[in-house]
Amino acid sequence: MKSAKSIVVRIVGLLCLAGIAVAMLIDPMGEARRERRIKEVLLLVQEGLQRYHVQEEIYPKRAMKGGELVAFLHENSHLEDSIVNPWGGGVYHGGNDVDRMAYETDALAESYELTVRYLHSKKIRFRLDSTENQSLE
Amino acid sequence: MKIKTALLQFYRFAILLAIAWLVRSHHDRIRVQGGWPITVSEVRVLLPEAHRLQIDSGPRKGLMVLNKEREEIGYAVRTMPHCRKIVGYSGPTDVLAVFDADDKGVGIALRHSYDTPSHVEDVKFEFLFMESWNGRSWDEIAEITDLNDAQIYAVSGASRTSEAVAYSVNHRIAMTRSEGAAGEPWHFGWRDWLLCGFLAGGLLFAFKKQKALQKWRPLYSVATILGLGFWMGDLIAQSLLAGWAESQIPWAATPGLVILVFAAFMVPWFTAQPLYCQFICPHGNLQRWFMKVIPAKWKRPLPGDGKWIGRFGPVMLLTIVVTVSFLQLDFDLAGIEPFDAYIFRSAGGATLSVAVVGLLISLFFPMAYCKFGCPTGWLLEFVRKRSGKDKFSDRDWIGLGLLTLALVLYFTPLDRFLG
């Protein structure tokens, strides 16, 4: 028969191990969730860009942060629904929220490039463009 | 009694096989379905009796369409990600192609497109084009090389988009033939011979107890540390086992390693001899040397409760391995074990830390890593035949728990965890 102290020690020990497992998994799970949201947003923005291109025959001329681009496409009715910022959780627009997406085009605005960088580094996580990387799969 | 013992042994092996099968089946599903899985409702538009989709991990790498009675009534494939390089006006298109039970096309559907939306709409509503594959068999489509010859005509005003759709469907169907024919040639190189040599050495020391032979064991132990560990880096690890379970066992590429792993599980299962842990594992041997050279006064006894809790350390790590594998998390499994540290030029910080800290702890608590930290050792010990009276123990319950976790992760849609 185990003493009460021994049982408490064992339960606390097991809880600590469970806590370590959760702590090790929580960050990669959060990243995986965010990655899914980012991909969904990228696809919506890319569709909006294509609609803009059909109407204007060029892509937007200036480089923009993701939120700015979303607001711009909204204003011109190329995006219908409001998009949620995959990093902040609020409405995605050109505010001060965390925004790791960037839009660029060439001098004649004939091609586009959407890039998403990692949250804590400048390394590119996703790239979607009209020349080389035309899908997320 | 013998029957009970045999049943328990089969139970243990069955638990491991079942977990490995679930991991493989889950990853087959991901390989076939890609990032955007085909749903039953999509297929039902073209095959109204569709009730369930079943992964076909054969050369076609698609989905068998089943009805309510679980009879196969058709087959479905998507063109992405295989055809991502087939680009229309401004991007590739993901096409669903569905076949009936006679292997004849019943229709295609555009799932998602990176192409210009208006062109995609034009293609979608050009029924003559969209029905071009209806009634054609899988083999007929696979043989198409010229769209015009096959009487598949591009959609006016969206010719590049429609051609990309047509080529994607044809390429997706045809690729199953070329992929099916390819196979890696079997190769048994010097590394494989060496691994078999280490295995043979381990078997000799495990089963031949003559003094004349056993006096060479220290030399063999050093050889495993320097040769198998630091030189070859071929240690059995969770990252290796998970990788094999997820994709395939590399019979052809590294047969020596496959034989070593096979023996590491089967020898203790048959004979109760912990062959790999006790004789071959370089990290275990290194700790054994530590145990011999450190002064006895350094050694500390571990309290009973500490030992009891410590036994769950490997179980906690196995829980992480199963979760990471099923959810495909960005988590390097090599970092939870010290084995990659033996290739120290390419080893990550986590694996080096586990190795160094584990060895330092073993200075005070002999073989601490093997007893309280090694998930691979736990698996090998799990299947090991017990000497004497065997009964359903804590380990067997834990094995059942790991299988339950694998089943939950297998049957729950990923969106529930990562949505």
Side-chain angles (χ1 to χ4, degrees):
Chain A
M1 192 70 184
K2 296 282 161 211
S3 69
K5 187 188 162 197
S6 177
I7 291 168
V8 171
V9 167
R10 288 180 179 197
I11 290 172
V12 170
L14 285 184
L15 288 175
C16 286
L17 282 177
I20 292 168
V22 170
M24 287 169 85
L25 288 173
I26 206 155
D27 202 37
M29 279 186 78
E31 271 305 304
R33 279 201 196 101
R34 187 179 298 125
E35 186 174 306
R36 285 186 155 216
R37 290 199 296 267
I38 291 170
K39 280 182 171 179
E40 282 167 15
V41 169
L42 263 173
L43 291 182
L44 288 172
V45 172
Q46 193 258 358
E47 276 184 15
L49 268 177
Q50 297 289 27
R51 284 194 203 100
Y52 180 94
H53 186 256
V54 169
Q55 193 172 316
E56 307 291 333
E57 297 195 341
I58 53 168
Y59 291 104
K61 284 180 181 170
R62 65 184 176 89
M64 285 179 258
K65 295 280 279 181
E68 272 181 274
L69 177 65
V70 168
F72 176 80
L73 293 171
H74 257 300
E75 279 168 25
N76 295 285
S77 305
H78 298 300
L79 275 178
E80 287 163 12
D81 303 321
S82 63
I83 294 178
V84 175
N85 180 331
W87 295 276
V91 178
Y92 198 25
H93 54 65
N96 293 324
D97 289 343
V98 181
D99 188 357
R100 303 298 289 159
M101 192 194 297
Y103 161 80
E104 281 181 37
T105 185
D106 60 273
L108 298 172
E110 285 178 336
S111 63
Y112 74 87
E113 183 185 66
L114 288 167
T115 52
V116 174
R117 290 175 196 277
Y118 281 93
L119 196 54
H120 301 296
S121 82
K122 287 186 175 177
K123 217 172 115 189
I124 290 178
R125 185 176 192 174
F126 297 113
R127 189 197 297 270
L128 197 53
D129 59 45
S130 51
T131 51
E132 290 291 315
N133 307 284
Q134 292 167 318
S135 80
L136 288 175
E137 285 191 84
Chain B
M1 187 56 76
K2 272 187 178 174
I3 291 175
K4 192 185 161 193
T5 306
L7 282 176
L8 270 171
Q9 276 304 93
F10 276 109
Y11 160 82
R12 286 160 192 151
F13 207 68
I15 289 273
L16 286 197
L17 281 184
I19 294 173
W21 184 85
L22 287 169
V23 170
R24 168 66 60 84
S25 176
H26 178 72
H27 281 263
D28 277 345
R29 188 162 60 186
I30 291 166
R31 270 190 289 278
V32 167
Q33 291 276 45
W36 277 274
I38 298 169
T39 60
V40 179
S41 56
E42 284 178 83
V43 177
R44 206 172 282 148
V45 174
L46 299 162
L47 266 181
E49 300 86 40
H51 182 68
R52 197 164 166 257
L53 303 175
Q54 191 175 306
I55 300 293
D56 171 21
S57 51
R60 286 189 174 187
K61 292 190 177 71
L63 298 160
M64 289 181 274
V65 184
L66 310 180
N67 63 10
K68 270 189 180 169
E69 286 74 40
R70 298 202 164 217
E71 294 159 341
E72 194 180 332
I73 55 164
Y75 201 85
V77 288
R78 62 181 291 231
T79 58
M80 289 286 275
H82 312 281
C83 305
R84 59 175 168 265
K85 294 286 176 198
I86 301 175
V87 175
Y89 184 69
S90 59
T93 298
D94 188 14
V95 187
L96 166 73
V98 178
F99 295 80
D100 63 15
D102 298 325
D103 231 11
K104 292 202 166 156
V106 291
I108 65 162
L110 308 191
R111 304 185 71 226
H112 172 82
S113 182
Y114 296 86
D115 214 327
T116 309
S118 56
H119 295 172
V120 176
E121 291 290 299
D122 289 346
V123 174
K124 207 180 268 184
F125 293 109
E126 178 56 57
F127 298 115
L128 201 62
F129 173 81
M130 292 293 283
E131 290 171 1
S132 300
W133 289 267
N134 295 12
R136 295 177 196 252
S137 73
W138 181 284
D139 289 335
E140 267 179 80
I141 296 170
E143 280 162 13
I144 293 174
T145 49
D146 186 289
L147 293 179
N148 283 332
D149 284 353
Q151 293 179 318
I152 298 173
Y153 302 112
V155 176
S156 172
S159 51
R160 289 183 66 181
T161 303
S162 54
E163 278 173 4
V165 166
Y167 282 126
S168 293
V169 173
N170 296 349
H171 176 75
R172 174 64 185 85
I173 305 300
M175 63 171 253
T176 57
R177 292 181 156 191
S178 49
E179 276 192 10
E184 199 175 348
W186 196 72
H187 173 76
F188 206 92
W190 64 266
R191 286 182 76 97
D192 304 299
W193 285 113
L194 260 178
L195 285 166
C196 288
F198 279 114
L199 173 60
L203 286 167
L204 271 179
F205 290 112
F207 293 104
K208 296 276 177 201
K209 297 296 179 191
Q210 287 93 332
K211 268 190 178 173
L213 178 73
Q214 291 296 331
K215 71 176 182 189
W216 296 102
R217 192 173 161 196
L219 196 67
Y220 172 76
S221 168
V222 172
T224 61
I225 296 165
L226 298 178
L228 191 59
F230 286 108
W231 183 39
M232 299 172 78
D234 281 331
L235 287 85
I236 303 177
Q238 286 306 302
S239 51
L240 178 95
L241 299 177
W244 288 8
E246 287 168 6
S247 52
Q248 60 172 335
I249 297 172
W251 306 101
T254 56
L257 194 55
V258 175
I259 293 168
L260 178 69
V261 172
F262 185 77
F265 278 95
M266 296 313 289
V267 172
W269 189 67
F270 270 117
T271 67
Q273 189 66 260
L275 171 72
Y276 183 78
C277 290
Q278 198 124 32
F279 297 91
I280 303 175
C281 177
H283 200 66
N285 285 334
L286 195 56
Q287 286 183 90
R288 248 169 238 115
W289 279 107
F290 271 42
M291 201 165 67
K292 283 177 190 165
V293 296
I294 54 169
K297 64 180 178 184
W298 284 21
K299 292 173 190 168
R300 296 279 178 275
L302 198 64
D305 288 340
K307 277 184 193 166
W308 188 87
I309 296 163
R311 279 171 37 214
F312 286 91
V315 178
M316 180 267 283
L317 293 173
L318 284 170
T319 306
I320 289 175
V321 172
V322 172
T323 310
V324 165
S325 178
F326 274 96
L327 301 186
Q328 290 190 292
L329 301 179
D330 185 14
F331 184 104
D332 186 4
L333 289 178
I336 63 168
E337 290 181 307
F339 307 131
D340 268 37
Y342 284 81
I343 321 163
F344 47 84
R345 278 187 193 160
S346 60
T351 188
L352 285 169
S353 307
V354 173
V356 172
V357 172
L359 288 172
L360 286 176
I361 292 175
S362 74
L363 290 175
F364 305 98
F365 304 103
M367 308 300 290
Y369 179 77
C370 293
K371 289 176 187 165
F372 309 120
C374 185
T376 302
W378 192 95
L379 288 182
L380 297 174
E381 181 61 22
F382 175 69
V383 293
R384 188 170 73 86
K385 190 176 168 185
R386 274 59 162 174
S387 46
K389 201 177 169 187
D390 197 3
K391 60 176 186 176
F392 200 88
S393 64
D394 292 356
R395 281 181 173 259
D396 300 309
W397 283 112
I398 292 168
L400 196 61
L402 287 170
L403 177 61
T404 308
L405 174 69
L407 282 166
V408 168
L409 290 165
Y410 181 81
F411 284 110
T412 311
L414 280 179
D415 291 349
R416 291 279 174 90
F417 302 105
L418 306 174

